[in-house]
Amino acid sequence: MGEWKTVIGLEVHAELETDSKMFSRCPVVDSVEAAPNSAVDQLSLGMPGTLPVINRQAMEFGIMVGLALNCEIPPVNQFARKNYFYPDLPKGYQISQYDRPLAVNGYVTIELEDGAAKRIRVRRAHMEEDTGKLSHFLGGSLVDYNRAGVPLLEIVSEPDMYSADEAARYARKLRSILRYLGVNSGDMSKGVLRFEANVSVMRESDDELRERTEIKNLNSIRNMVKAIEYEVRRQIKLYHSGQTVMPATLGWDEAGQRIQVQRYKERADEYRYFPEPDLPIVEVSREWVSEIRGKLPALPDELQRRFVEDCGLSAAEAAVLTAERAVAGYFQAVVACGADAKSAANWLTTELFRLMNSYEIEREDIDSIPISARSFAGLLALAGDNVINQGTARKRVLPAMWETGKEAAAIVEEEGLAQVSDATLIGDAVERALEANQDMVRRYLEGNDKVINAIFGRIMGELRGKGDPGVVRQQLTERLKRLNDQR
Ligand code: ADP
Ligand code: MG
């Protein structure tokens, strides 16, 4: 199947965390926690005689996202009616934007597996309103209109992703940017961020893209990857058996781990788009745009660049540290407390992340861990100054800090964990270890060089792990050399 290339374009729906809905004062509530239909007004229900009013905060959030995605912000926006009937859409139309969207021609930079950067073009981002939520069960369906009318930004990419992995990287980066901006929690399980994948395959020799399908119902990035890989195999199989791919809307069936055809696709003209007569054209002044630009926080790409240029981190380390704003902030705080940036990055992404994983704490919740950035910097200082060795720092002090909330220095003091560098003490330990492990010594002297690591381990054991590794190794090498010369 190697001669087939995968082509993917993503359409992303992001709810914007405004106080009120897109076209009314009705509050926006948490779609999972709030009681069904507890945040509903006449607008949400599409009552006749109501009139929409544009939410300025939603427009600002949308423009923020557009700018963060390197888009142009056209000076004129227009809303449009997209007509279709569905029980979660009581008006019979969705207010959206059609040919005059909020943002156009941007891009998102992703890091590929090999560390190279790739730009995924963003075709457009437009404002619309979310629909209600249907729940189906045996014998009926229920509808909750809390979500109806919540501001929704649809972000449409160009078909620039060539594997499920690239699509996942784009999705994660976009999620990260939205979270940095504070306009969307990125919680896919709650449906506030939804991805739809357009998928086709082509041969290297094709001049044009082939027919695509669109996969909906992707409630996690992991499932999106599985669904894309499944769909690519399905399409290739169709072509191999002489059939064609029909444009269709597909759903990912999580229980069955397979694709299901939901319906064959509508074309845009079937929605009978026309300019929304109840809303004015929105002029987006250049002053407004630059005012919003001035409020943008440092974004992951910018932080990543700074971490590489100012702190000397590798691109990969910087990418891991900047994926979550909270992690980047924690790292910056550790460095601000005087820690060496390289070792802070290293300890954070290995040891601290490992501990967080074992306590099942998400990276975004790093601020809730029992080790403050200052305490963590304190541990790094003790290890950096060789007051304790790396192994003690990692295996004993860090876990004890987590469990007790105490400072590293206090733990080292109380438990007597300070590194042993005293040459006499170490010399004694070397003697004891060689005495107790004569068999290993013999194998070493017979030419098995690797045994030296095992002997080293035994000496460290004698020193309860606290020996200065440099001094231990030096004394051991000298002692073995003398034994060898005596032979
Ligand atoms: P429509 O106008 O019918 O909605 P678009 O051309 O605007 O379709 O594309 C919608 C999405 O599908 C975009 O994200 C785009 O990148 C993607 N897309 C378009 N053609 C293909 C293709 N052949 N293969 C994969 N994705 C595609
Ligand atoms: Mg849409």
Side-chain angles (χ1 to χ4, degrees), residues 19 28 40 45 57 59 77 86 90 156 175 214 224 255 286 319 346 448 472:
D19 301 328
V28 170
V40 166
L45 295 175
Q57 191 187 26
M59 295 300 284
N77 268 237
Y86 212 64
V156 183
R175 180 177 181 276
E214 181 178 347
M224 180 178 82
R286 300 303 89 183
N346 188 280
N448 188 346
V472 171

Side-chain angles (χ1 to χ4, degrees), residues 11-13 82 94 96-97 126 128 152 154 156 196 214 216 271 273:
E11 287 170 279
V12 181
H13 285 93
K82 180 181 182 180
Q94 179 189 29
S96 181
Q97 293 182 319
H126 63 255
E128 52 188 35
L152 194 65
E154 176 168 344
V156 183
E196 290 163 20
E214 181 178 347
K216 292 186 188 279
Y271 287 120
Y273 275 101

